[in-house]
Amino acid sequence: LYGITALLSHSCIANSKTMIESDYSCEVRATTAIKCGDEITKQYVSPLETTSMRREKLKSGWYFDCK
């Protein structure tokens, strides 16, 4: 559905946030300063969940272990 945002990597301390607007358009907004050449990352799971919940979702949904 939103192919470009699907290419963003996960980081527990992400530098962007994906916003779905009321017209269903998608925006990626920087949440910190991003220098030229830095990777743009997003959080795949909610930062409001516990660490164990986030790790389980990343393992079952994206098949990697978050350290």
Side-chain angles (χ1 to χ4, degrees), residues 21-33:
E21 304 297 333
S22 60
D23 65 353
Y24 301 106
S25 63
C26 182
E27 253 183 55
V28 177
R29 297 183 184 176
T31 56
T32 64

Side-chain angles (χ1 to χ4, degrees), residues 10-63:
H10 167 78
S11 174
C12 290
I13 305 171
N15 59 14
S16 74
K17 182 173 183 138
T18 303
M19 312 287 289
I20 307 298
E21 304 297 333
S22 60
D23 65 353
Y24 301 106
S25 63
C26 182
E27 253 183 55
V28 177
R29 297 183 184 176
T31 56
T32 64
I34 302 172
K35 295 178 185 172
C36 183
D38 285 353
E39 181 177 19
I40 299 173
T41 59
K42 69 178 185 176
Q43 291 179 321
Y44 290 172
V45 294
S46 172
L48 301 177
E49 295 177 344
T50 66
T51 300
S52 60
M53 289 172 68
R54 292 192 313 270
R55 285 181 177 159
E56 177 57 34
K57 286 186 177 183
L58 291 168
K59 180 75 167 175
S60 66
W62 289 274
Y63 308 103

